């Protein structure tokens, strides 16, 4: 069960979704809703800040993959902040560490994000 809700904010005009400590079948819909809301204005980039996320099951991974594919199909980009060793291991074991643009901090992701027009 999550200890904090997924939240959407905008930093320098870029939508940023903060993931819960644990993302699983009980709260993956919250993550999906926050991502959809972040993309609602036609954003070309989205940052998912999972720096505090320690666990993400297949339901959460599916949400991330779908968001990544949706953005890529529209010429956009999803940037993912991940720092917790257990989450990084999940990404590595599933091969998703090569799919996502991974960053060690929100600041690094913001520098790399395409600037909104």
């Amino acid at each position: 069960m999550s200890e904090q809700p997924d939240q959407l904010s905008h930093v320098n005009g870029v939508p940023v979704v903060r993931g819960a400590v644990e993302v699983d079948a009980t709260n993956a819909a919250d993550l999906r809703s926050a991502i959809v809301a972040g993309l609602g204005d036609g954003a070309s980039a989205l940052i998912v800040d999972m720096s505090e996320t320690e666990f993400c099951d297949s339901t959460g991974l599916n949400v991330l993959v779908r968001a990544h594919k949706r953005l890529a199909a529209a010429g956009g980009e999803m940037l993912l902040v991940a720092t917790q060793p257990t989450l990084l291991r999940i990404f590595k074991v599933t091969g998703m560490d090569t799919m996502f643009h991974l960053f060690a901090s929100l600041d690094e992701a913001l520098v790399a994000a395409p600037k909104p027009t």
Side-chain angles (χ1 to χ4, degrees):
M1 180 174 268
S2 87
E3 294 176 18
Q4 67 185 24
D6 299 314
Q7 293 183 346
L8 171 65
S9 61
H10 288 78
V11 180
N12 300 332
V14 178
V16 178
V17 173
R18 187 180 69 211
V21 173
E22 294 185 5
V23 178
D24 57 27
T26 65
N27 65 357
D30 296 336
L31 179 62
R32 180 177 30 256
S33 294
I35 289 171
V36 168
L39 298 176
D41 294 331
S44 62
L46 174 80
I47 297 174
V48 180
D49 183 355
M50 298 182 82
S51 58
E52 306 228 352
T53 303
E54 297 173 359
F55 176 77
C56 184
D57 75 359
S58 61
T59 310
L61 293 175
N62 186 28
V63 169
L64 295 173
V65 169
R66 286 176 181 251
H68 168 75
K69 287 182 176 181
R70 179 178 173 184
L71 272 162
E77 176 175 14
M78 185 174 86
L79 301 95
L80 193 65
V81 179
T83 60
Q84 299 297 321
T86 53
L87 183 63
L88 291 169
R89 183 166 184 256
I90 289 167
F91 287 155
K92 184 166 183 64
V93 167
T94 60
M96 291 186 184
D97 60 331
T98 60
M99 174 185 287
F100 300 129
H101 298 277
L102 296 175
F103 296 89
S105 73
L106 178 57
D107 288 339
E108 287 181 17
L110 285 166
V111 168
K115 305 306 173 232
T117 53

